[in-house]
Amino acid sequence: MAKRLGILTSGGDCPGLNAVIRGAVLKGETVHGQEFVGFLDGWKGLIEGNAITLDRRSVRGLSSQGGTIIRTSRVGPYREPDGGAENIKKRMKQLGIDGIIAIGGEGTASASKRLFEDGVNIVGVPKTIDNDLAATDYTFGFSTAVEIATEAIDRLRTTGNSHKRCMVLEVMGRHAGWIALFSGIAGGAHAILIPEQPETIEQISEWVRSVVHRGRAPMVVVAEGFKFPDMDEAHSTKGLDGFNRPRLGGIGEVLAPLIEEHTGIETRSTVLGHIQRGGAPSAFDRVLATRLGMAVTDLIADGGWGQMVALHGTNIARVDFAEALADLKTVPPESYADYRQLFG
């Protein structure tokens, strides 16, 4: 039975990471007699053998803290010259590590699947504020991101009303519109623009004019991956990230002047950016992250390598990495169409 385990957090930081670490260490030590180390800076720490001891004392009070105490990066496990499954297995043997708990999103799950297929004992915990992993109903971090975005909408509406301006808020989500949809609904936005549903500037302008005609200040929420119908790719001017994916962002700055040009209504854009990923996690995210951290130690105790824990309904389930990566979870057309009737 695996007794000494390494934990790493990879990819973008996310509220709730520390709660996962705490849940795993507390239950792993108490129930399964497991020992833990934390690899610093994600896969980079594993490749380089840079780790710290994680025990009850070191995880005390972590549930309410944002970020990750073992830090993260977008370095992949197959980075040359020290990466790759064989080098990682040698590093694990040097450190006496029986298996790895990888906490991350789609990129981390893909890397974990490849490592498992190459003979590395590894399990996963899904993490992303985007809520775009189909194998789990919700990911921790999403609730916090939505709350932060909703508060931003509330604040922007007051300044928009004061100046009779149209306010545009750009939120994260990559190619899934969940943050935009949930925060837009919660904040009473007059238009919600998501990657799954292109909209023309003419339609957006019609919604904005309709709001102004009722004596209101329009509030538009746009996801960073939103595209106009004539766009082949989401707006990106910031190069590639560590997983060779385009860094999205800036569509709000494109949209605002177009709205003003088409309507004559003064329009301002705000990009919420990394504020969505920072700070203390919500109560929901603390509970979900703790449950996932506890469950992953049970998974290891049962020898469930090559799997990750997930939320199905109100229950914690186990799914293979292959199943976890089968589909990107996007907003269903019927869900968007239902709320679209309320725009304008």
Side-chain angles (χ1 to χ4, degrees), residues 248-269:
L248 304 185
I251 188 63
E253 299 289 347
V254 173
L255 177 62
L258 287 174
I259 292 175
E260 186 163 330
E261 177 185 336
H262 280 74
T263 65
I265 298 163
E266 189 176 5
T267 305
R268 294 288 184 272
S269 173

Side-chain angles (χ1 to χ4, degrees), residues 223-304:
E224 63 182 358
F226 169 76
K227 301 185 293 291
F228 293 109
D230 60 351
M231 294 173 61
D232 294 328
E233 302 290 341
H235 183 74
S236 174
T237 60
K238 304 174 183 177
L240 303 178
D241 65 17
F243 294 110
N244 291 318
R245 302 176 304 182
R247 289 192 178 96
L248 304 185
I251 188 63
E253 299 289 347
V254 173
L255 177 62
L258 287 174
I259 292 175
E260 186 163 330
E261 177 185 336
H262 280 74
T263 65
I265 298 163
E266 189 176 5
T267 305
R268 294 288 184 272
S269 173
T270 298
V271 180
L272 197 52
H274 290 81
I275 291 172
Q276 292 157 95
R277 296 213 309 230
S282 67
F284 180 90
D285 281 340
R286 297 181 199 189
V287 173
L288 176 57
T290 300
R291 292 180 68 196
L292 292 172
M294 294 171 65
V296 81
T297 65
D298 297 333
L299 178 63
I300 292 168
D302 293 339

Side-chain angles (χ1 to χ4, degrees), residues 183-260:
S183 63
I185 294 168
H190 299 108
I192 303 169
L193 309 176
I194 62 174
E196 297 89 336
Q197 180 64 54
E199 300 282 3
T200 65
I201 188 59
E202 289 77 18
Q203 175 62 78
I204 298 166
S205 299
E206 182 180 328
W207 286 327
V208 167
R209 281 191 293 264
S210 174
V211 176
V212 172
H213 289 163
R214 297 199 313 273
R216 305 290 300 282
M219 181 70 232
V220 177
V221 177
V222 58
E224 63 182 358
F226 169 76
K227 301 185 293 291
F228 293 109
D230 60 351
M231 294 173 61
D232 294 328
E233 302 290 341
H235 183 74
S236 174
T237 60
K238 304 174 183 177
L240 303 178
D241 65 17
F243 294 110
N244 291 318
R245 302 176 304 182
R247 289 192 178 96
L248 304 185
I251 188 63
E253 299 289 347
V254 173
L255 177 62
L258 287 174
I259 292 175
E260 186 163 330

Side-chain angles (χ1 to χ4, degrees), residues 107-182:
T108 302
S110 296
S112 299
K113 176 178 179 291
R114 183 178 172 186
L115 284 173
F116 173 69
E117 291 170 347
D118 287 342
V120 175
N121 286 341
I122 191 165
V123 293
V125 178
K127 170 253 18 162
T128 170
I129 66 169
D130 303 337
N131 199 40
D132 59 357
L133 291 176
T136 185
D137 290 348
Y138 286 97
T139 51
F140 67 88
F142 173 67
S143 167
T144 305
V146 169
E147 287 192 7
I148 292 169
T150 302
E151 181 182 355
I153 293 169
D154 292 343
R155 292 178 179 274
L156 286 172
R157 292 190 72 161
T158 63
T159 184
N161 289 336
S162 298
H163 292 271
K164 296 184 178 179
R165 289 171 176 161
C166 173
M167 306 301 290
V168 175
L169 176 67
E170 179 187 314
V171 299
M172 286 180 168
R174 291 198 62 78
H175 302 297
W178 295 107
I179 296 176
L181 184 66
F182 275 48

